């Protein structure tokens, strides 16, 4: 066994005239670790910056979506009301007293649509159907045996005047 142990311990000795090459030590040096950390910090900062821009744009779209939703909800309910057969206008008025605007329209079906600038909401029979409405005005004319109802509807991004025929 002693002979076998010696055979593993033998070293190669270079001959005369031959140079000895030393292998590079493979591994991670402190410099490379610092460079990796700096690179990762730059990448994370860039991703965080892009993400913040993305979420800011999402919040803007949410506000636009809310206004569009409010207008669509009101328009669909009001259109259903105007398409109802044998429906006519009982009363329609807009008043402005002490900087409080009140605009309403009452139909023969018993439904009343009311806007007030006290809380910027539109109600149908005392049930809130729209909010964040800057202005809404109901008016009508009777022409050619039909009612022409004009509704001015204004939110932060929508400024629309629609005429409904009853």
């Amino acid at each position: 066994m002693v002979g076998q142990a010696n055979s593993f311990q033998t070293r190669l000795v270079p001959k005369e005239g031959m140079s000895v090459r030393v292998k590079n030590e493979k591994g991670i040096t402190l410099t490379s670790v610092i460079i990796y950390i700096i690179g990762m910090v730059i990448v994370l900062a860039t991703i965080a910056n892009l993400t913040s821009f993305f979420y800011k744009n999402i919040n803007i779209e949410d506000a636009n979506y809310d206004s569009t939703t409010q207008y669509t909800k009101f328009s669909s309910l009001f259109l259903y009301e105007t398409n109802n057969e044998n429906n006519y206008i009982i009363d329609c008025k807009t008043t402005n007293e002490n900087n409080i605007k009140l605009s309403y329209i009452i139909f023969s079906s018993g439904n009343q649509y009311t806007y007030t600038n006290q809380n910027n909401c539109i109600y149908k029979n005392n049930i809130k159907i729209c909010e964040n409405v800057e202005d809404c005005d109901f008016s009508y004319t009777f022409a050619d045996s039909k009612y022409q109802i004009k509704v001015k509807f204004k939110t932060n991004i929508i400024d629309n005047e629609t005429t409904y025929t009853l």
Side-chain angles (χ1 to χ4, degrees):
M1 288 202 145
V2 174
Q4 288 177 351
N6 286 338
S7 65
F8 287 114
Q9 293 178 355
T10 58
R11 294 178 21 165
L12 295 174
V13 178
K15 294 182 182 177
E16 262 185 58
M18 293 182 74
S19 63
V20 176
R21 289 189 185 179
V22 178
K23 283 187 174 181
N24 287 339
E25 300 263 344
K26 291 190 178 182
I28 299 176
T29 63
L30 184 59
T31 306
S32 64
V33 169
I34 291 172
I35 291 171
Y36 289 142
I37 291 173
I38 290 172
M40 297 214 17
V41 166
I42 291 171
V43 168
L44 288 175
T46 304
I47 290 172
N49 199 10
L50 292 174
T51 303
S52 69
F53 287 138
F54 175 74
Y55 281 110
K56 285 178 187 176
N57 287 338
I58 293 295
N59 290 337
I60 291 170
E61 292 300 317
D62 284 345
N64 294 345
Y65 176 76
D66 184 50
S67 292
T68 307
T69 303
Q70 298 300 318
Y71 178 71
T72 303
K73 189 186 325 180
F74 169 75
S75 293
S76 64
L77 289 169
F78 203 78
L79 186 62
Y80 179 77
E81 192 72 42
T82 57
N83 286 335
N84 195 354
E85 286 189 33
N86 300 322
N87 204 3
Y88 56 91
I89 298 172
I90 294 178
D91 192 15
C92 180
K93 190 182 278 186
T94 299
T95 60
N96 197 353
E97 295 178 10
N98 300 328
N99 289 334
I100 297 174
K101 180 179 180 179
L102 180 69
S103 184
Y104 66 88
I105 186 167
I106 303 172
F107 291 97
S108 62
S109 64
N111 292 326
Q112 176 178 343
Y113 292 85
T114 308
Y115 167 77
T116 179
N117 68 346
Q118 269 184 310
N119 56 4
N120 294 333
C121 294
I122 298 177
Y123 296 89
K124 178 182 177 185
N125 301 332
N126 297 324
I127 298 171
K128 187 188 299 184
I129 59 172
C130 294
E131 55 190 6
N132 300 325
V133 178
E134 292 177 9
D135 191 25
C136 184
D137 190 25
F138 301 105
S139 62
Y140 77 96
T141 57
F142 189 76
D144 299 328
S145 71
K146 293 185 178 188
Y147 289 101
Q148 300 288 323
I149 304 169
K150 286 189 179 181
V151 178
K152 295 177 185 174
F153 189 93
K154 183 177 181 185
T155 63
N156 61 345
I157 62 167
I158 296 172
D159 191 0
N160 193 11
E161 181 175 319
T162 307
T163 302
Y164 298 91
T165 302
L166 183 66

